[in-house]
């Protein structure tokens, strides 16, 4: 994580949001061949709700218990951590471009317009500055699911049926927000779900597996691709492998083969090329992630899916 990202957050936390305007947007998403297309609807709100939405965003920003950490595909439990990623590496830039069209966007005119939305965005803006805060839409706002739900209110000592009213549930927990080219993530799972990160990781899988073959690391990566498939855990691992890029370092690969032989780790290597089999796939993913680590204290050896480099 760069110093500029830290400075961005410091600036944001020092901001007085009193005169910032809050607007509310719904995001519709369509998938075509794993590519997402987004459109947005402007939703008018009363003063009370506008203040509640604004408070939801500013309370997340101003909570100094949240510590910054660079986003990685393999990340430990966040527990009051804000993961940071360049917005240009995500779909938020596409969504924000739609929101920034302003009055050119359609407004919500009837209840049905609210349903089947993918996400909601609260935009705070003042002069040339803007914060975009995102939340994945609650499942009770999808039309097919609403048909099986009854909304009940307890009033005057009895339960009353609200089915005849236009109910829209709103969860103002913020999954992530973007400001000045950086996205700050408080809920990694919902962030990845809302922005279709699985498709990006599947692309990473295909790229890195082809590079394995081109670099003559494996004679054939077909079995590895079949094993990884669309499994999110394996997609994270292979995306992390691509990001770290150890496999592109010839010396690293030479040392991997050498240590594998010395430590009897079980990789089958023929003429410097790793031979993939069912039993070795997990080991391959671990070693290419540089995830087999030895304690300098008692020399125990661990496979670590999540690790943090000590500077």
């Amino acid at each position: 994580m760069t110093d500029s990202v830290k400075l961005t957050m410091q600036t944001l936390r020092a901001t007085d949001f009193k005169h910032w305007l809050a607007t509310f947007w719904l995001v519709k998403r369509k998938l075509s061949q794993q590519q997402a297309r987004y459109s947005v609807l402007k939703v008018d709100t009363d003063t009370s709700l506008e203040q509640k939405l604004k408070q939801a965003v500013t309370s997340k920003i101003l909570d100094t218990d949240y510590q910054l950490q660079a986003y990685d595909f393999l990340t430990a439990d966040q527990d009051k951590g804000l993961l940071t990623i360049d917005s240009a590496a995500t779909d938020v830039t596409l969504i924000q471009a739609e929101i920034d069209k302003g009055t050119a966007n359609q407004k919500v005119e009837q209840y049905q317009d609210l349903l089947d939305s993918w996400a909601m965005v609260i935009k705070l803006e003042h002069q040339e500055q803007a914060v975009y805060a995102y939340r994945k839409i609650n499942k009770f706002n999808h039309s097919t699911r609403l048909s099986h739900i009854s909304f009940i209110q307890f009033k005057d000592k009895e339960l009353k049926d609200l089915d005849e009213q236009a109910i829209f549930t709103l969860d103002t927990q913020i999954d992530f927000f973007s400001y000045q080219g950086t996205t700050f993530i408080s809920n990694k799972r919902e962030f990845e779900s809302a922005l279709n990160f699985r498709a990006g990781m599947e692309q990473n899988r295909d790229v890195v597996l082809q590079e394995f073959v081109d670099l003559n690391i494996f004679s054939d990566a077909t079995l590895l691709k079949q094993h990884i498939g669309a499994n999110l855990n394996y997609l994270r691992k292979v995306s992390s492998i691509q990001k770290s890029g150890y496999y592109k370092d010839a010396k690293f690969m030479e040392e991997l083969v050498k240590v594998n032989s010395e430590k009897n780790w079980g990789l089958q290597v023929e003429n410097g090329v790793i031979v993939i089999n069912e039993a070795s796939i997990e080991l391959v993913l671990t070693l290419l992630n540089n995830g087999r680590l030895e304690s300098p204290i008692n020399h125990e050896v661990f496979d670590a899916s999540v690790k943090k480099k000590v500077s």
Side-chain angles (χ1 to χ4, degrees), residues 18 52-53 84 95 98 123 184 219 248 265 276 296:
K18 181 178 180 180
K52 183 177 289 187
L53 296 173
T84 66
I95 297 170
E98 292 300 311
K123 180 182 180 182
F184 300 86
S219 56
K248 298 179 182 178
W265 281 346
I276 292 289

Side-chain angles (χ1 to χ4, degrees), residues 26-40:
L26 292 177
V27 180
K28 308 285 186 175
R29 187 186 77 153
K30 292 183 179 179
L31 281 180
S32 176
Q33 298 180 342
Q34 296 299 313
Q35 294 297 313
R37 296 179 59 189
Y38 303 96
S39 59
V40 299

